[in-house]
Amino acid sequence: VQLQASGGGLVQAGGSQRLSCAASGRTFSSYTVGWFRQAPGKEREFVAGIRSGGITSYADFVKGRFTISRDNAKNTVYLQMNSLKPEDTAVYYCALSRGNWVTSAMRGARTYEYWGQGTQVTVSS
């Protein structure tokens, strides 16, 4: 499985941005996909995840601002980010697991077998 993340860039605080994660694989609809981020000097952290059937999980700091969704016909997962803050600045990574995990497991980086290359999101104040 290969993952390609895209959509990062520079945005002003309060703005919006949509990230995409395109995956290879014939049974994409059954996979769990997550978004993580890592800011300079900080550990990688969970942002959002989505599993088969569209069940989602979010980190508390993005609830109400970010929305994860999937288009199985396009083998793509999206992360719509609204009301962006400077503290959202990070490299965003998408990750994929062939398993169908409960929401608590979606939050763990070890759940995922495959990782994309990351896309930089910079939010200016």
Side-chain angles (χ1 to χ4, degrees):
V1 175
Q2 294 183 330
L3 301 174
Q4 181 69 44
S6 61
L10 177 64
V11 63
Q12 288 189 333
S16 298
Q17 204 158 40
R18 189 177 79 161
L19 305 182
S20 299
C21 177
S24 62
R26 297 182 179 179
T27 56
F28 177 79
S29 62
S30 67
Y31 296 165
T32 298
V33 179
W35 284 99
F36 291 75
R37 70 185 188 185
Q38 187 167 20
K42 295 186 177 181
E43 294 186 352
R44 181 175 52 187
E45 60 184 355
F46 170 77
V47 176
I50 187 167
R51 70 174 198 192
S52 173
I55 304 300
T56 59
S57 179
Y58 294 94
D60 288 343
F61 55 78
V62 302
K63 283 182 178 178
R65 299 191 298 127
F66 292 9
T67 302
I68 189 170
S69 62
R70 67 193 302 161
D71 185 338
N72 292 328
K74 296 182 178 179
N75 279 17
T76 301
V77 167
Y78 304 99
L79 184 68
Q80 177 66 44
M81 304 184 294
N82 299 328
S83 302
L84 283 162
K85 306 174 182 179
E87 52 263 43
D88 293 318
T89 295
V91 177
Y92 284 71
Y93 298 91
C94 64
L96 183 147
S97 170
R98 293 180 176 178
N100 194 31
W101 299 95
V102 297
T103 53
S104 58
M106 278 195 255
R107 297 169 174 262
R110 294 182 178 182
T111 293
Y112 301 89
E113 302 103 80
Y114 304 96
W115 291 80
Q117 83 287 3
T119 184
Q120 176 71 47
V121 173
T122 302
V123 184
S124 63
S125 57

Short mmCIF file of all heavy atoms in Angstrom, two decimals, residues 11-13 86 123-125:
data_model
loop_
_atom_site.label_atom_id
_atom_site.label_comp_id
_atom_site.label_asym_id
_atom_site.label_seq_id
_atom_site.Cartn_x
_atom_site.Cartn_y
_atom_site.Cartn_z
N VAL A 11 -1.41 29.29 5.18
CA VAL A 11 -2.75 29.84 5.33
C VAL A 11 -2.76 30.78 6.52
O VAL A 11 -2.00 30.57 7.48
CB VAL A 11 -3.80 28.71 5.48
CG1 VAL A 11 -3.54 27.90 6.75
CG2 VAL A 11 -5.21 29.25 5.46
N GLN A 12 -3.60 31.78 6.47
CA GLN A 12 -3.71 32.71 7.58
C GLN A 12 -4.57 32.13 8.69
O GLN A 12 -5.46 31.30 8.44
CB GLN A 12 -4.30 34.04 7.10
CG GLN A 12 -3.36 34.86 6.25
CD GLN A 12 -3.90 36.25 5.97
OE1 GLN A 12 -5.11 36.46 5.96
NE2 GLN A 12 -3.01 37.19 5.73
N ALA A 13 -4.33 32.56 9.89
CA ALA A 13 -5.14 32.13 11.03
C ALA A 13 -6.61 32.44 10.76
O ALA A 13 -6.95 33.51 10.23
CB ALA A 13 -4.68 32.83 12.30
N PRO A 86 -2.41 29.27 14.63
CA PRO A 86 -0.95 29.10 14.46
C PRO A 86 -0.43 27.82 15.08
O PRO A 86 0.52 27.22 14.56
CB PRO A 86 -0.40 30.35 15.16
CG PRO A 86 -1.48 31.37 15.01
CD PRO A 86 -2.76 30.60 15.12
N VAL A 123 0.38 27.92 9.51
CA VAL A 123 -0.69 28.88 9.78
C VAL A 123 -0.05 30.15 10.34
O VAL A 123 0.58 30.12 11.40
CB VAL A 123 -1.72 28.32 10.77
CG1 VAL A 123 -2.86 29.32 10.95
CG2 VAL A 123 -2.25 26.97 10.30
N SER A 124 -0.21 31.23 9.62
CA SER A 124 0.39 32.50 10.05
C SER A 124 -0.60 33.29 10.89
O SER A 124 -1.80 33.24 10.68
CB SER A 124 0.80 33.32 8.83
OG SER A 124 -0.33 33.65 8.05
N SER A 125 -0.05 34.02 11.84
CA SER A 125 -0.90 34.81 12.74
C SER A 125 -1.16 36.20 12.19
O SER A 125 -0.56 36.63 11.22
CB SER A 125 -0.25 34.91 14.11
OG SER A 125 1.03 35.48 14.00
#
